[in-house]
């Protein structure tokens, strides 16, 4: 279960883009116990719209559907897209020069970080006029950034340097109106993230310490890593978390839980070591019982809807079979005989590292069918592309679909399932940009 891309789309392991201290701007208010309205009494951040200041009221959308601020921001991003690497490198260099105390919040290697910043900017701009989606996305980032040590007072510094970088590299589209639009949007952005982090702090730690208690090498480059958290860790089958190893501080990668919640509290992950993958190689080749890892908060929406009797159609590619296995266990624990069809894809027979476990579950549960599919080389299994085999066994009119695997498999899987008539709202997978998990092989 290789790193998933962290939040993800963007899981900025750093203070997220904040408001900028330019003319007419005041830092976002940090939520605290001293606020007149107790945090616990507020609606959850994920469904609350942060109230903008009087001079930051939402601007009426244009006839095209996008507000004037959003149009200005998108023009800026379109201009800097060809020089995104230079823009983000300049931003971080400026941040570390002006605010050297913030350098400790970031990983030593900044290549992935630079990509994540620009992806987060694009995501925020895309949903700037969709309050519910933007708030959900930013609230997730705000909660996740707690593990990096991000504090409310960090946001103005980051915003100041971000505005400076945009001013330098978006000279053709930059203006006073553009700057004012960025200030308004980032004031709102930072407040949503600050509020979400403050609310989360009332009930959850920034991270969980977890001791490695099991390490089973399944193949030359795949290991099942089992840990015991020091405190109870709440999650749902099908979700994932971020992991930090003691060997690479501040570098977090996402991995899916490979089982439903267990009575003994243990958590397991399937990890594939990838070339130049710092975290994955450490977990596969270096971690041993007794080592202590850090876990971020649970995330992901690929969970079973237990209010319906629909069957489950599950596509798992590579180590993406890990969360699929957790979903099967979750259905079994709920005791309802819902049909579950699992298509387990791999390139070669030897890559079906967890097939014995899956076939054992099939023998125990008559409602479960497991079909291994091999795309390359000789095999006694089903042979061909996973999505083609799924299409042959269809249609699936009464099934909810769950996909976990490499981004390419998920894209083709979604296209196939929509093409054979499964409505998109019944197709569940975690965001492509979050998939550095068991399946994607990044990190």
């Amino acid at each position: 279960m290789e790193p998933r891309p962290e939040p993800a789309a963007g899981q900025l392991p750093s203070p997220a883009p904040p408001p900028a201290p330019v003319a007419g701007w005041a830092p976002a208010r940090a939520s605290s116990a001293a606020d007149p309205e107790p945090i616990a009494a507020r609606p959850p951040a994920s469904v609350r719209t942060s109230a903008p200041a009087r001079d930051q009221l939402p601007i009426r959308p244009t006839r095209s559907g996008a507000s004037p601020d959003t149009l200005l921001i998108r023009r800026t991003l379109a201009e800097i897209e060809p020089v995104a690497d230079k823009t983000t490198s300049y931003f971080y260099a400026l941040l570390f020069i002006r605010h050297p105390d913030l350098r400790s919040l970031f990983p030593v290697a900044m290549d992935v970080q630079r990509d994540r910043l620009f992806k987060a900017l694009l995501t925020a701009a895309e949903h700037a006029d969709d309050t519910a989606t933007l708030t959900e996305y930013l609230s997730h980032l705000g909660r996740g950034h707690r593990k990096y040590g991000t504090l409310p007072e960090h946001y103005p510094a980051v915003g100041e340097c971000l505005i400076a970088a945009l001013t330098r590299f978006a000279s053709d589209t930059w203006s006073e109106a553009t700057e004012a639009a960025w200030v308004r949007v980032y004031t709102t952005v930072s407040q949503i993230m600050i509020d979400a982090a403050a609310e989360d702090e009332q009930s959850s730690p920034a991270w969980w310490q977890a001791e490695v208690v099991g390490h089973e090498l399944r193949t030359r480059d795949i290991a099942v890593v089992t840990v015991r958290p020091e405190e109870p860790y709440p999650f749902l089958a099908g979700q994932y978390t971020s992991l930090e190893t003691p060997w690479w501080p501040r570098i977090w990668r996402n991995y899916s839980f490979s089982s439903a919640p267990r009575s003994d509290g243990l958590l397991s992950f399937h990890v594939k070591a990838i070339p130049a993958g710092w975290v994955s190689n450490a977990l596969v080749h270096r971690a041993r019982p007794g080592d202590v890892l850090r876990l971020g908060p649970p995330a992901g929406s690929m969970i079973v809807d237990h209010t319906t009797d629909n069957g489950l159609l599950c596509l798992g590619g590579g180590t993406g079979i890990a969360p699929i296995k957790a979903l099967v266990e979750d259905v079994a624990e709920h005791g309802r005989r819902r049909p579950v069809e699992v298509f387990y894809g791999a390139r070669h027979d030897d890559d079906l590292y967890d097939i014995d476990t899956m076939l054992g579950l099939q023998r125990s549960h008559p409602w479960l069918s497991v079909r291994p599919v091999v795309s390359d080389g000789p095999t006694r299994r089903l042979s061909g592309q996973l999505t083609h085999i799924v299409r042959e066994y269809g249609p699936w009119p009464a099934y909810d679909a769950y996909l976990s695997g490499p981004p390419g498999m998920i894209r083709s899987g979604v296209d196939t399932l929509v093409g054979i008539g499964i409505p998109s709202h019944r197709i569940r997978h975690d965001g492509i940009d979050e998939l550095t998990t068991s399946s994607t092989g990044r990190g």
Side-chain angles (χ1 to χ4, degrees):
M1 189 190 62
E2 229 354 71
R4 306 178 169 222
E6 190 178 309
Q11 303 160 307
L12 303 168
S14 68
V22 294
W25 175 87
R29 173 184 54 79
S31 300
S32 71
D35 286 341
E37 179 187 18
I39 292 173
R42 304 177 188 173
S46 60
V47 298
R48 185 180 72 250
T49 302
S50 295
R54 185 180 301 275
D55 60 347
Q56 297 156 2
L57 294 175
I59 296 178
R60 185 185 305 276
T62 64
R63 290 183 180 179
S64 65
S67 69
D69 278 3
T70 297
L71 292 176
L72 290 170
I73 288 171
R74 289 176 179 172
R75 288 171 190 158
T76 304
L77 292 173
E79 181 179 355
I80 68 172
E81 186 170 9
V83 289
D85 288 346
K86 291 182 180 179
T87 307
T88 50
S89 294
Y90 180 84
F91 158 73
Y92 282 113
L94 197 62
L95 180 67
F96 298 154
I97 290 171
R98 292 185 179 179
H99 306 279
D101 55 308
L102 298 185
R103 184 62 181 90
S104 63
L105 299 179
F106 295 79
V108 175
M110 293 294 295
D111 51 343
V112 174
Q113 187 65 28
R114 284 190 287 269
D115 290 342
R116 286 173 176 164
L117 172 62
F118 192 66
K119 288 178 181 178
L121 291 177
L122 290 175
T123 301
E126 179 182 356
H127 299 291
D129 294 320
D130 182 347
T131 301
T133 298
L134 184 63
T135 302
E136 180 181 1
Y137 171 73
L138 293 173
S139 295
H140 172 70
L141 284 184
R143 291 187 294 268
H145 278 51
R146 291 182 58 215
K147 64 179 179 286
Y148 301 114
T150 306
L151 300 173
E153 54 264 32
H154 295 152
Y155 285 80
V158 177
E160 170 196 343
C161 297
L162 182 63
I163 293 292
L166 295 173
T167 303
R168 178 184 178 94
F169 288 93
S171 56
D172 290 346
T173 56
W174 200 257
S175 65
E176 289 186 4
T178 301
E179 183 171 297
W182 277 96
V183 169
R184 280 189 290 267
V185 169
Y186 268 112
T187 299
T188 299
V189 163
S190 62
Q191 193 61 61
I192 293 173
M193 295 181 67
I194 288 170
D195 283 351
E199 184 173 342
D200 191 58
E201 187 176 4
Q202 307 305 306
S203 58
S204 300
W207 62 75
W208 285 257
Q209 300 267 71
E211 179 185 355
V212 176
V213 296
H215 188 281
E216 178 189 355
L217 203 60
R218 291 286 183 86
T219 72
R220 180 176 59 182
D221 58 358
I222 295 177
V224 176
V225 181
T226 301
V227 303
R228 177 186 292 113
E230 289 185 351
E231 302 177 53
Y233 187 96
F235 75 100
L236 299 174
Q239 289 191 305
Y240 64 91
T241 187
S242 52
L243 290 178
E244 180 199 50
T245 72
W247 305 285
W248 298 108
R250 300 185 301 282
I251 296 180
W252 297 76
R253 294 293 183 264
N254 297 335
Y255 296 90
S256 295
F257 300 101
S258 64
S259 66
R262 297 165 48 169
S263 59
D264 59 11
L266 298 182
L267 311 172
S268 292
F269 308 92
H270 294 185
V271 183
K272 181 175 182 178
I274 61 170
W278 294 3
V279 175
S280 63
N281 277 282
L283 290 172
V284 172
H285 300 301
R286 189 167 183 175
R288 293 294 180 268
D291 292 330
V292 177
L293 311 177
R294 280 182 176 179
L295 309 179
S301 58
M302 199 181 74
I303 58 179
V304 177
D305 179 0
H306 292 291
T307 66
T308 176
D309 289 326
N310 289 349
L312 275 66
L313 173 61
C314 302
L315 283 64
T319 48
I321 197 64
I324 300 300
K325 172 177 169 287
L327 295 179
V328 171
E329 293 179 354
D330 190 34
V331 172
E333 289 176 6
H334 277 74
R336 296 171 64 184
R337 297 174 63 86
R338 299 171 61 179
V340 179
E341 303 280 343
V342 174
F343 290 83
Y344 179 7
R347 288 188 176 181
H348 304 94
D349 267 348
D350 292 345
D351 297 326
L352 296 167
Y353 70 94
D354 210 34
I355 188 60
D356 290 342
T357 302
M358 297 305 299
L359 292 178
L361 289 171
Q362 179 180 249
R363 289 190 293 270
S364 300
H365 306 297
W367 41 261
L368 171 64
S369 176
V370 177
R371 296 184 177 92
V373 180
V374 174
S375 61
D376 302 330
T379 181
R380 294 175 294 129
R381 316 287 188 182
L382 293 173
S383 179
Q385 295 298 316
L386 183 65
T387 52
H388 296 171
I389 300 297
V390 171
R391 185 192 299 271
E392 290 177 8
Y393 277 82
W396 308 94
Y399 283 76
D400 294 334
Y402 296 80
L403 298 86
S404 178
M409 187 219 84
I410 292 180
R411 291 188 184 97
S412 62
V414 170
D415 289 343
T416 296
L417 296 176
V418 170
I420 61 177
I422 297 182
S424 58
H425 70 271
R426 284 172 37 204
I427 301 175
R428 301 192 179 193
H429 61 85
D430 288 313
I432 300 297
D433 288 335
E434 297 169 354
L435 300 174
T436 45
T437 56
S438 45
S439 41
T440 70
R442 283 183 247 175

